[in-house]
Amino acid sequence: MSIEEVGSETQSHATGPTLGVRYYVKRGDGSWHVAEIIQKRENPENQRTEFYVHYKEFNRRMDEWVCLLSIDVERGPVEDTPKELDYLDALSGRDRKVTRNLKRKHDEINHVQKSYAEMDPTTAALEKEHEALTKVKYINKIVIGKYEIDAWYFSPYPEEYGKQTKLWICEYCLKYMRLESSYVRHLTQCQLRQPLGREIYRKGTISVFEVNGSDHKVYCQNLCLLAKLFLDHKTLYFDVEPFLFYVLAEVDRQGCHLVGYFSKEKESPENNNLACILTLPPYQRKGYGKFLIALSYELSKMEESVGSPEKPLSDLGKLSYRSYWSWVLLDILKEAQGTISIRDLSAMTSITQEDIIGTLQALNMVKYWKGQHIICVTPKLVEEHMKSAQYRRPLLTVDPDYLRWSPPNKRTKTSRKH
């Protein structure tokens, strides 16, 4: 920091920002946005005063610590502007409907959070409680494997780790450390080169391991803490014993490198075949998310059951699942001969009838007639949808021939010991 910057920052301290008040704040790209001042701290690395801010226009994953110079204190607090919903409510008829639909699509694609006014009272109360508990993100970055990754959200690491600005994490055993020297020393000592548990899938460089939360409790807890850095509404951190974890890895000569995972309840009263799913940021947009979704349905097929992800889904989750479901259904309808029912599609895919109906409604391929949903589809309509990038074949697909897995209740006592 230059002498001028020090002087400017010291001068601004006299009229420093007030917690809970909104100011114009400059982001890393140089743009200014209205943000609320959430918290204040002394950075343990450089002893500089920093402020934690939430940008009004962006999802909480964009919240960050900024220095005083990034806050326009002289311009003063920013008063609330009329909500966009007030403008929408002033519209009438079809214009309002179109505008709301466009806003909903925009918010889903850009992960814009709903305001409390847009939620039902119960959801709003839960959201307020969640936000209060996870409002401030102290960990800015993690180092795992060959990547240094920006954290998106708060994660409840133990106090001495959770207040650090940076953590180092072993990509094999998931042990987390505060110091780079500890991390370097650990890498020379750690004997693992793959996730714990047993390998159930290997094709090319893609590998999947099934990890039982009861058998490897600490590993699964560490996996959940890591995942929370990138998932806003994840609530499972420590009670991992009722779950199975399916850990996806890329394989090379050095070992199996963590890509992502999904978890699944061992016994789900709601027939959920997926509880939580994560692809680490460096591996996103490469097809791994849909690969994990597809794997969850392949397991359901082998269980001879239908399944659905745990609700509610995040906006990003909704988009991923709707895209996957659409591709699966369109691929079947493209080759279908004669009539096919929703029940038939569910039996073939292990997708619930409710999820199939919702997907076909979005594709305008189903009608409600005489008390039941009837599939109404033409080859031309299927072809038009399949031309869309949203419904193209996934980059990665699960090859059932390479899946070495059987439902837990069908495994022999001998196999359980292994």
Side-chain angles (χ1 to χ4, degrees):
M1 185 186 293
S2 67
I3 295 176
E4 289 184 3
E5 286 178 318
V6 172
S8 177
E9 183 158 345
T10 303
Q11 185 177 12
S12 297
H13 260 295
T15 55
T18 304
L19 299 186
V21 177
R22 290 173 175 168
Y23 297 84
Y24 280 98
V25 178
K26 184 167 68 173
R27 299 190 63 218
D29 60 4
S31 59
W32 290 86
H33 300 271
V34 176
E36 181 181 351
I37 310 300
I38 304 295
Q39 186 61 279
K40 176 182 176 181
R41 76 169 179 189
E42 298 297 320
N43 188 311
E45 293 184 355
N46 54 30
Q47 283 72 53
R48 289 178 57 183
T49 301
E50 294 181 335
F51 297 86
Y52 193 74
V53 300
H54 167 64
Y55 297 101
K56 184 180 178 184
E57 306 166 32
F58 300 116
N59 181 279
R60 289 204 308 148
R61 64 180 272 191
M62 308 303 291
D63 293 2
E64 62 180 343
W65 291 96
V66 300
C67 66
L68 183 57
L69 289 174
S70 297
I71 304 172
D72 194 343
V73 180
E74 292 184 4
R75 192 170 178 178
V78 179
E79 294 185 9
D80 290 343
T81 55
K83 293 180 181 178
E84 183 181 5
L85 285 176
D86 295 338
Y87 162 71
L88 293 175
D89 290 334
L91 298 175
S92 60
R94 184 176 178 277
D95 289 337
R96 180 169 62 180
K97 182 178 180 181
V98 170
T99 307
R100 286 190 186 278
N101 287 339
L102 288 174
K103 180 180 183 299
R104 189 177 299 112
K105 289 181 179 178
H106 172 271
D107 289 355
E108 286 185 357
I109 292 171
N110 293 281
H111 320 309
V112 177
Q113 288 186 193
K114 287 183 178 180
S115 66
Y116 294 136
E118 295 176 274
M119 303 175 186
D120 63 80
T122 302
T123 303
L126 291 171
E127 186 66 26
K128 286 179 181 178
E129 181 182 9
H130 166 77
E131 185 174 328
L133 293 172
T134 65
K135 203 162 194 175
V136 180
K137 171 186 68 183
Y138 290 96
I139 301 170
N140 293 330
K141 296 178 183 294
I142 62 166
V143 173
I144 181 168
K146 63 181 179 180
Y147 296 106
E148 181 171 294
I149 311 171
D150 291 335
W152 295 357
Y153 300 108
F154 162 86
S155 183
Y157 281 93
E159 180 82 11
E160 64 271 29
Y161 298 91
K163 292 293 181 74
Q164 298 295 309
T165 59
K166 190 174 185 178
L167 286 183
W168 283 262
I169 300 174
C170 175
E171 64 176 323
Y172 301 116
C173 71
L174 302 185
K175 177 181 172 66
Y176 46 89
M177 289 148 274
R178 293 180 297 167
L179 303 175
E180 185 175 11
S181 57
S182 301
Y183 175 69
V184 172
R185 184 168 60 253
H186 172 82
L187 293 183
T188 64
Q189 299 171 348
C190 184
Q191 300 298 311
L192 287 180
R193 286 298 177 266
Q194 65 183 41
L196 296 175
R198 65 188 189 94
E199 189 175 41
I200 64 167
Y201 185 91
R202 171 75 72 92
K203 184 177 182 182
T205 60
I206 295 179
S207 177
V208 179
F209 290 77
E210 180 185 71
V211 188
N212 192 320
S214 299
D215 297 337
H216 305 288
K217 188 174 180 180
V218 173
Y219 177 90
C220 294
Q221 288 175 340
N222 289 348
L223 182 60
C224 291
L225 288 171
L226 171 62
K228 181 61 188 74
L229 291 170
F230 308 101
L231 299 172
D232 189 11
H233 283 81
K234 180 172 178 55
T235 55
L236 167 68
Y237 316 125
F238 305 112
D239 184 22
V240 297
E241 294 182 18
F243 292 84
L244 294 169
F245 295 79
Y246 295 90
V247 181
L248 174 63
E250 277 188 356
V251 184
D252 62 19
R253 291 182 179 180
Q254 280 70 48
C256 298
H257 307 284
L258 178 65
V259 170
Y261 81 99
F262 76 86
S263 60
K264 174 182 178 179
E265 284 184 286
K266 296 173 184 176
E267 300 290 339
S268 173
E270 295 83 15
N271 288 326
N272 292 324
N273 63 358
L274 185 146
C276 179
I277 183 171
L278 170 77
T279 303
L280 288 173
Y283 298 97
Q284 291 177 2
R285 301 187 181 277
K286 296 183 179 181
Y288 287 117
K290 286 182 183 174
F291 179 90
L292 288 169
I293 292 173
L295 178 61
S296 72
Y297 281 104
E298 288 300 328
L299 301 186
S300 291
K301 290 176 186 177
M302 297 178 77
E303 291 173 328
E304 299 179 348
S305 65
V306 296
S308 186
E310 190 174 299
K311 307 298 192 307
L313 290 169
S314 66
D315 291 336
L316 186 58
K318 288 177 187 176
L319 290 172
S320 298
Y321 265 95
R322 183 56 56 83
S323 177
Y324 172 77
W325 289 331
S326 298
W327 171 73
V328 170
L329 298 177
L330 288 169
D331 196 53
I332 292 174
L333 294 172
K334 179 184 67 174
E335 305 294 339
Q337 300 293 326
T339 59
I340 188 168
S341 69
I342 290 171
R343 182 177 295 179
D344 294 333
L345 289 174
S346 182
M348 296 167 68
T349 63
S350 283
I351 302 172
T352 64
Q353 294 188 40
E354 181 183 359
D355 290 333
I356 290 173
I357 291 169
T359 302
L360 293 178
Q361 285 174 335
L363 295 171
N364 198 26
M365 288 184 165
V366 68
K367 292 183 179 179
Y368 192 70
W369 187 68
K370 291 187 177 182
Q372 60 181 336
H373 290 90
I374 307 297
I375 297 174
C376 300
V377 62
T378 63
K380 183 178 179 182
L381 183 58
V382 173
E383 185 180 346
E384 287 179 356
H385 279 306
M386 295 199 78
K387 287 179 181 177
S388 168
Q390 186 178 356
Y391 307 130
R392 284 179 188 163
R393 179 182 178 86
L395 296 173
L396 300 171
T397 56
V398 177
D399 188 338
D401 292 338
Y402 290 81
L403 188 56
R404 302 189 299 277
W405 186 86
S406 61
N409 58 0
K410 293 184 180 180
R411 295 174 192 170
T412 64
K413 293 184 178 179
T414 303
S415 66
R416 282 199 192 102
K417 293 179 182 177
H418 298 285

